[in-house]
Amino acid sequence: MIELRIKQTVRDVADFPKPGIIFKDITPILKNAGLCREITAALQEQVKDMKIDLIAGIESRGFLFGMSLANLMGIPFVPMRKAGKLPYKTVRQEYNLEYGSAALELHEDAIFAGQRVLIHDDLLATGGTVVAASKLIEKLGGEIAGYSFIIALDFLKGRDRLEDFSAPVYSLASY
């Protein structure tokens, strides 16, 4: 079962990025090519019946499987980056994290009106980053087709914050 394999592989890192946070580190997954293929296939299985025009991956770990999933599905991938990291004209959305604040940016020509976008990230926690990503897509006229995560920290209620966007939320492993 993919959830069990993910949970057996993810590493907990205490007090990162600040005291009291237990960080779910997916980098041990990346050392296992077979597990990476299984995860990408499982993500595709979850969204296979959805109409998706492109996948937007959230920096930085959302790039890893978001790009692989987009390639597997034969659709475009666009990166959503931290402020100041994209070289072209951008739109920006500020947001709060469970351990601070930040901003996401997207190239202004990354998404066109009416495109259906699957937002992918490695982990759903409180939902602040994903809500910011959703608002960016909507600013450009895109529609949220759904959300895809490897891990969801359900006890932090991030799914609840996504209800306003009326799109399905998928994850492979939940804590």
Side-chain angles (χ1 to χ4, degrees), residues 6-159:
I6 290 168
K7 286 181 173 183
Q8 289 172 336
T9 307
V10 167
R11 173 175 41 215
D12 285 349
V13 179
D15 299 322
F16 182 83
K18 72 176 199 176
I21 302 288
I22 298 176
F23 186 83
K24 297 291 185 192
D25 181 10
I26 69 160
T27 58
I29 290 173
L30 304 177
K31 297 189 312 185
N32 184 331
L35 181 54
C36 287
R37 285 190 299 274
E38 286 179 51
I39 287 170
T40 305
L43 292 169
Q44 181 189 30
E45 181 64 25
Q46 288 181 323
V47 301
K48 70 180 181 183
D49 295 327
M50 297 173 66
K51 182 186 179 313
I52 302 168
D53 296 313
L54 62 88
I55 295 173
I58 299 173
E59 185 169 343
S60 67
R61 291 171 305 277
F63 295 175
L64 302 170
F65 288 94
M67 180 69 173
S68 295
L69 180 58
N71 283 337
L72 186 61
M73 296 177 70
I75 59 176
F77 174 84
V78 296
M80 303 184 95
R81 304 268 339 243
K82 295 173 184 167
K85 301 290 184 178
L86 289 171
Y88 189 63
K89 298 173 190 169
T90 62
V91 291
R92 177 187 178 109
Q93 183 68 46
E94 295 187 13
Y95 63 100
N96 292 318
L97 295 162
E98 57 273 17
Y99 47 82
S101 63
L104 275 181
E105 292 182 340
L106 185 62
H107 279 143
E108 68 180 15
D109 62 354
I111 295 167
F112 301 107
Q115 283 189 303
R116 293 186 46 80
V117 181
L118 177 72
I119 297 175
H120 176 77
D121 204 357
D122 67 320
L123 184 134
L124 173 61
T126 63
T129 305
V130 184
V131 168
S134 301
K135 289 178 180 178
L136 274 177
I137 288 165
E138 288 181 340
K139 280 182 184 179
L140 293 175
E143 298 174 24
I144 310 301
Y147 302 94
S148 170
F149 304 95
I150 297 170
I151 297 167
L153 302 179
D154 290 341
F155 62 93
L156 293 176
K157 308 286 187 202
R159 287 177 196 267

